[in-house]
């Protein structure tokens, strides 16, 4: 990954500072097209300058960073948007605001952790996907009976709920 040119941020920088699109791209590493998309999806917000240029409050950098983290963890953008919808849009979120987000996120992450743990345990066994290709399938999913209960890896999904 190419490192951005070193930028000097004044010590008086504040979360309320306005950053240009180019500054947000440089700081986050996220291309402008993705930022436009996040904006359309209501994940981030921009103001407009007198010349109609996008200006982002510095505190939007945190949202963009968390979107990137969520993507790495496989969390859907719709779920991130639902969580972000609880944050204020007219000021930098407070510690309490982020605590609330953290609680929602924790539930989501715990669900994912359970899913990964179950996958680790079941990867060499039957996950209930309908393939009937593992020795355990005949016992745990005879004749793909689990197909009547759902789509995809039914055993894995059910164990993770
Ligand atoms: S692993 Fe696919 S049905 Fe058992």
């Amino acid at each position: 990954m190419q490192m951005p040119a070193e930028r000097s941020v004044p010590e008086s920088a504040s979360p309320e500072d306005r950053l240009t699109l180019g500054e947000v791209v440089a700081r986050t590493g996220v291309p402008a097209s993705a930022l436009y998309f996040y904006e359309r999806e209501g994940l981030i917000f921009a103001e407009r300058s007198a010349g109609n240029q996008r200006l982002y409050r510095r505190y939007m950098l945190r949202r963009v960073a968390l979107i990137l983290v969520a993507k790495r963890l496989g969390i859907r953008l719709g779920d991130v948007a639902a969580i972000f919808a609880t944050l204020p849009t007219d000021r930098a979120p407070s510690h309490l605001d982020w605590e609330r987000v953290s609680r929602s996120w924790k539930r989501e992450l715990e669900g994912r952790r359970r899913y990964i743990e179950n996958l680790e345990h079941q990867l060499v066994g039957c996950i209930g996907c309908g393939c009937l290709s593992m020795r355990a399938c005949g016992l745990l999913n005879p004749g793909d009976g689990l197909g009547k209960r759902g789509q995809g890896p039914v055993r894995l999904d059910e164990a993770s709920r």
Side-chain angles (χ1 to χ4, degrees):
M1 180 201 286
Q2 189 182 353
M3 296 301 289
E6 196 168 306
R7 301 168 324 117
S8 66
V9 178
E11 286 200 10
S12 59
S14 135
E16 300 292 339
D17 288 345
R18 272 91 165 162
L19 304 182
T20 64
L21 176 65
E23 287 172 322
V24 175
V25 168
R27 183 61 184 84
T28 61
V30 173
S33 56
L35 293 173
Y36 298 150
F37 175 74
Y38 297 156
E39 206 177 316
R40 280 196 305 277
E41 296 299 306
L43 289 154
I44 60 172
F45 303 94
E47 299 165 9
R48 294 288 176 157
S49 69
N52 203 30
Q53 302 300 307
R54 279 182 168 79
L55 292 174
Y56 298 89
R57 298 289 179 125
R58 177 175 287 279
Y59 60 78
M60 287 295 155
L61 293 177
R62 187 173 166 87
R63 283 187 177 228
V64 176
L66 291 174
I67 292 167
L68 296 178
V69 170
K71 282 176 68 179
R72 279 184 211 140
L73 295 173
I75 297 173
R76 294 179 316 124
L77 281 185
D79 293 337
V80 179
I83 290 172
F84 281 4
T86 67
L87 292 172
T89 55
D90 58 343
R91 61 171 170 79
S94 67
H95 185 80
L96 281 179
D97 292 325
W98 283 117
E99 267 185 0
R100 204 178 51 250
V101 166
S102 167
R103 280 195 294 277
S104 311
W105 212 307
K106 199 170 167 199
R107 279 193 295 275
E108 174 76 32
L109 292 177
E110 277 167 1
R112 272 165 201 279
R113 206 169 8 250
R114 263 199 315 278
Y115 199 85
I116 290 168
E117 281 168 10
N118 285 328
L119 180 60
E120 278 172 7
H121 291 130
Q122 295 189 16
L123 203 53
V124 292
C126 176
I127 57 174
C129 61
C131 74
L132 305 178
S133 66
M134 305 294 282
R135 204 176 310 143
C137 298
L139 187 66
L140 299 169
N141 187 21
D144 191 31
L146 291 175
K148 295 188 187 87
R149 298 219 300 252
Q151 298 172 304
V154 176
R155 286 198 73 236
L156 186 60
D157 289 346
E158 287 182 354
S160 304
R161 284 193 197 118

